């Protein structure tokens, strides 16, 4: 018999957390901080901090610093600015079955809440709160996708996980956590993801509003405000039957190799393979045909004018890999959008809406690439799903390399190394060392 989500969340202890779950949480901590470091340099992050400073100043809950910025705001304000910051570079952890991202909301929100706790947290304390946030978010996301006709952003369902975890951090009992979930689900951003894919802007994946929605819901519930039931938690029982016995966080969390939409990744992997296998140069390319699932063809993005359009594109990121051989920090610079050779290759890319790939792209994202060369060859790669998915996981070394690729140029190698060491072992830290991890995470470069 399944345990109700709010009782599970209220009673969870560190000893209940299995080793494979803790491994995921540690990996996500490090990975998210690397993304946050490079994302803190973007216009999107700067605009978000300024907007949050204007509307979410410090109140009687106490001051919380914005992730990788240090600006002191209310917990909701820090969650908002931090959520938009992480979301500014589309490279954070992901869950393919939910078609979204937990860490981009969880870390900005819960690190902000950690700042205002009456008693300093240990790493074990934070691990419990993080586990609650991830697991409730994952299951609420699955339930929402199964019961709503529109494809909603991550912010809509991570708001629920953040609310439950934040209410637990505030000392709420099981019923308070239940009310917080209902408030967050009701008021959370039911933003439609395909709108941002069709018209890419800084609204991105909705976590910049989902994270503070969850924080505010927790404070409201603490004061006696009611909102239950959360329909995704209480009226979709098939997604909660094994709660406490199985962990969707472990089964579904994966990591990105490239800072752009996951739907582009199998095509990027494919062109990287074909270029290397056949010793091709950009001058050899006469055309690139990408057969993929329907929604991915809506990414397109042949001539992006902004980083948002780059993030939600396939053609231009694929061309970037062909020309540069990587999609790293230099490729995130605005000048990349004007690179004439990348633009030339991008306009040689054709996206093909493939019925078979559309049919099988449930929980997986399929694509097949064919490169046509100037000497008349047609080089076809095998059908692929993204590297970084659980069946093709990134190694610990690859996660570390990605972290330093993003973090070192922004915060320096010494700070990045200490941050990696502490985040990769965060649940073993005493209160003093966890406070050090907070300081490294929540101060400006």
């Amino acid at each position: 018999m399944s345990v109700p989500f709010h009782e599970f969340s209220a009673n969870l202890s560190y000893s209940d957390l299995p080793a494979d779950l803790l491994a995921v949480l540690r990996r996500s901590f490090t990975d998210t901080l690397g993304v946050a470091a490079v994302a803190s340099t973007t216009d999107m992050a700067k605009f978000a901090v300024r907007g949050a400073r204007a509307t979410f100043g410090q109140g009687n809950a106490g001051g919380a610093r914005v992730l990788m910025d240090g600006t002191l705001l209310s917990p909701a304000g820090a969650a908002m600015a931090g959520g938009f910051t992480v979301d500014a570079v589309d490279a954070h952890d992901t869950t393919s079955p939910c078609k979204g991202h937990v860490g981009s909301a969880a870390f900005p929100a819960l690190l902000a809440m950690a700042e205002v706790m009456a008693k300093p947290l240990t790493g074990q304390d934070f691990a419990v709160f993080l586990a609650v946030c991830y697991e409730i978010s994952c299951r609420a996301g699955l339930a929402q996708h199964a019961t709503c006709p529109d494809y909603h952003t991550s912010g809509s369902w991570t708001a629920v996980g953040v609310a439950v975890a934040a209410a637990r951090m505030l000392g709420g009992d099981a019923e308070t956590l239940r009310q917080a979930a209902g408030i967050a689900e009701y008021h959370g951003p039911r933003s439609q993801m395909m709108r941002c894919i069709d018209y890419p802007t800084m609204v991105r994946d909705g976590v910049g509003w989902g994270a503070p929605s969850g924080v505010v819901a927790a404070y409201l519930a603490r004061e006696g405000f009611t909102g239950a039931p959360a329909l995704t938690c209480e009226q979709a029982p098939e997604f909660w039957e094994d709660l406490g016995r199985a962990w969707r966080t472990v089964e579904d969390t994966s990591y990105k190799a490239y800072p752009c939409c996951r739907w582009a990744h199998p095509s990027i992997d494919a062109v990287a393979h074909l270029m290397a296998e056949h010793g091709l140069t950009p001058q050899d390319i006469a055309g690139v045909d990408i057969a993929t699932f329907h929604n991915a063809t809506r990414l397109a993005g042949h001539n992006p004018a902004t980083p948002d359009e780059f993030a939600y594109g396939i053609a231009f990121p694929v061309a970037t890999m062909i020309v540069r051989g990587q999609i790293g920090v230099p490729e995130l610079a605005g000048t990349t959008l004007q690179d004439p050779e990348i633009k030339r290759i991008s306009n040689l890319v054709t996206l093909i809406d493939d019925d078979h790939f559309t049919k099988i792209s449930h929980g997986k994202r399929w694509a097949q690439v064919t490169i046509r060369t100037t000497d008349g060859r047609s080089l076809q790669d095998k059908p692929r799903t993204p590297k970084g998915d659980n069946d093709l996981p990134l190694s610990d070394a690859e996660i570390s390399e990605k972290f330093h690729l993003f973090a070192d140029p922004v915060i320096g190698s010494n700070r990045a190394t200490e941050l990696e060491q502490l985040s990769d072992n965060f649940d073993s830290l005493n209160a003093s060392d966890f406070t050090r991890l907070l300081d490294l995470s929540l101060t400006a470069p």
Side-chain angles (χ1 to χ4, degrees), residues 341-405:
E341 187 66 355
I342 297 176
K343 293 176 74 171
R344 181 185 74 82
I345 297 293
S346 181
N347 285 296
L348 296 175
V349 174
T350 300
L351 299 184
I352 301 166
D353 193 334
D354 187 283
D355 289 341
H356 175 64
F357 288 150
T358 298
K359 186 179 296 184
I360 65 174
S361 288
H362 294 285
K364 302 292 291 183
R365 308 290 172 254
W366 286 92
Q368 185 173 27
V369 172
T370 302
I371 289 180
R372 291 177 280 110
T373 64
T374 54
D375 61 5
R377 288 177 291 165
S378 181
L379 308 172
Q380 188 174 68
D381 191 53
K382 66 182 181 180
R384 287 180 181 266
T385 57
K387 183 179 180 181
D389 278 359
N390 285 345
D391 59 342
L392 296 168
L394 298 182
S395 67
D396 290 343
E398 288 172 316
I399 291 288
S400 179
E401 181 181 2
K402 174 188 169 185
F403 170 80
H404 285 284
L405 177 68

Side-chain angles (χ1 to χ4, degrees), residues 240-388:
W240 301 89
E241 291 172 349
D242 59 356
L243 180 64
R245 301 191 304 275
W247 292 88
R248 297 305 310 218
T249 304
V250 175
E251 296 174 21
D252 297 343
T253 303
S254 57
Y255 299 88
K256 287 186 167 187
Y258 313 114
C260 58
C261 181
R262 185 70 152 200
W263 298 354
H265 287 213
S267 302
I268 296 169
D269 291 333
V271 296
H273 171 73
L274 288 171
M275 294 292 289
E277 183 178 45
H278 298 281
L280 301 176
T281 69
Q283 291 71 40
D284 295 321
I285 308 302
V288 181
D289 299 330
I290 299 174
T292 189
F293 59 100
H294 170 72
N295 279 348
T297 65
R298 291 167 65 174
L299 289 171
H302 288 85
N303 295 287
T306 66
D308 310 291
E309 293 179 3
F310 177 96
Y312 290 114
I314 291 182
F316 202 87
V318 162
T320 301
M321 176 58 75
I322 288 173
V323 174
R324 300 278 184 91
Q326 67 170 29
I327 306 177
V329 172
E331 287 67 46
L332 295 174
T335 54
T336 301
L337 302 180
Q338 303 305 319
D339 185 306
E341 187 66 355
I342 297 176
K343 293 176 74 171
R344 181 185 74 82
I345 297 293
S346 181
N347 285 296
L348 296 175
V349 174
T350 300
L351 299 184
I352 301 166
D353 193 334
D354 187 283
D355 289 341
H356 175 64
F357 288 150
T358 298
K359 186 179 296 184
I360 65 174
S361 288
H362 294 285
K364 302 292 291 183
R365 308 290 172 254
W366 286 92
Q368 185 173 27
V369 172
T370 302
I371 289 180
R372 291 177 280 110
T373 64
T374 54
D375 61 5
R377 288 177 291 165
S378 181
L379 308 172
Q380 188 174 68
D381 191 53
K382 66 182 181 180
R384 287 180 181 266
T385 57
K387 183 179 180 181

Side-chain angles (χ1 to χ4, degrees), residues 189-274:
R190 288 296 181 103
S191 37
Q192 294 133 325
M193 189 70 241
M194 295 309 297
R195 175 180 168 184
C196 186
I197 286 168
D198 289 338
Y199 307 101
T201 65
M202 292 181 182
V203 296
R204 296 290 184 108
D205 203 33
V207 296
W209 203 247
S213 294
V215 170
V216 171
Y219 278 99
L220 287 172
R222 186 186 69 172
E223 299 304 319
F225 199 100
T226 59
L231 304 186
T232 54
C233 300
E234 300 192 44
Q235 295 187 18
E238 63 271 31
F239 298 103
W240 301 89
E241 291 172 349
D242 59 356
L243 180 64
R245 301 191 304 275
W247 292 88
R248 297 305 310 218
T249 304
V250 175
E251 296 174 21
D252 297 343
T253 303
S254 57
Y255 299 88
K256 287 186 167 187
Y258 313 114
C260 58
C261 181
R262 185 70 152 200
W263 298 354
H265 287 213
S267 302
I268 296 169
D269 291 333
V271 296
H273 171 73
L274 288 171

Side-chain angles (χ1 to χ4, degrees), residues 112-187:
M113 292 297 298
E115 288 267 271
V116 298
M117 294 294 95
K119 179 181 177 183
L121 299 180
T122 68
Q124 288 191 3
D125 296 330
F126 194 75
V128 173
F129 305 140
L130 198 58
V132 168
C133 187
Y134 263 79
E135 194 64 16
I136 299 304
S137 294
C138 286
R139 291 173 183 267
L142 290 171
Q144 182 182 295
H145 285 311
T147 55
C148 295
D150 279 343
Y151 167 24
H152 292 95
T153 64
S154 302
S156 61
W157 43 270
T158 55
V160 179
V162 167
V164 175
R168 168 81 189 264
M169 295 178 81
L170 291 173
D173 60 14
E175 183 59 24
T176 302
L177 273 58
R178 176 174 177 258
Q179 299 298 332
I183 298 166
E185 184 191 78
Y186 191 89
H187 289 136

